[in-house]
Amino acid sequence: MLGKAFSGFSVDDVEAARHFYGDLLGLTVEGEDLLWIRVPGDSGVLVYPKGDAHEPASFTVLNFPVDDVPGTVAALRERGVAFEKYAGTPVETDDDFVFRGGGPLIAWFTDPAGNVLSVIQDDDA
């Protein structure tokens, strides 16, 4: 009955999103007004413009499973990606911007529109 599903989220600046996802994260980005981000797996992610009406999501909109969270954080920081530092919170991150307080290792960062993304430990990645 239902076909293949995909997620989507808004941004305030499509060109900034294109640069961030394509150039900094190294993902394939297609489209002009609406962006289609190709991610490993069966589907992609739709990114659509909302301009001044955009409000960043208050939750993680996209998680990237990796086999080495600290190494991926270091590599992405070298490319200019800024990671979140959560001090004094239940998800406090260390000096490497990694949460090591239980469960899989995880580190959060935001896109230019303020949407929260993560790299998360996946030994099968």
Side-chain angles (χ1 to χ4, degrees):
M1 183 164 155
L2 298 176
K4 183 173 153 183
F6 62 89
S7 67
F9 53 87
S10 71
V11 297
D12 56 351
D13 184 333
V14 170
E15 288 310 311
R18 180 189 317 281
H19 169 69
F20 181 81
Y21 289 97
D23 298 334
L24 294 182
L25 298 186
L27 299 170
T28 299
V29 178
E30 301 167 349
E32 295 301 319
D33 296 328
L34 298 176
L35 300 181
W36 188 256
I37 301 171
R38 299 284 176 194
V39 295
D42 291 335
S43 63
V45 177
L46 177 68
V47 174
Y48 54 92
K50 282 187 82 174
D52 292 339
H54 168 73
E55 293 185 25
S58 60
F59 52 87
T60 306
V61 299
L62 195 56
N63 298 282
F64 294 94
V66 298
D67 62 359
D68 177 11
V69 170
T72 301
V73 169
L76 288 174
R77 288 186 70 217
E78 286 179 10
R79 297 180 84 166
V81 176
F83 279 78
E84 297 297 305
K85 184 78 166 172
Y86 297 125
T89 70
V91 292
E92 184 163 347
T93 53
D94 62 16
D95 291 338
D96 294 326
F97 302 92
V98 176
F99 171 69
R100 300 174 194 265
L105 299 182
I106 187 168
W108 294 274
F109 57 104
T110 60
D111 71 5
N115 295 308
V116 180
L117 314 167
S118 84
V119 290
I120 186 167
Q121 187 73 33
D122 181 359
D123 295 329
D124 296 328

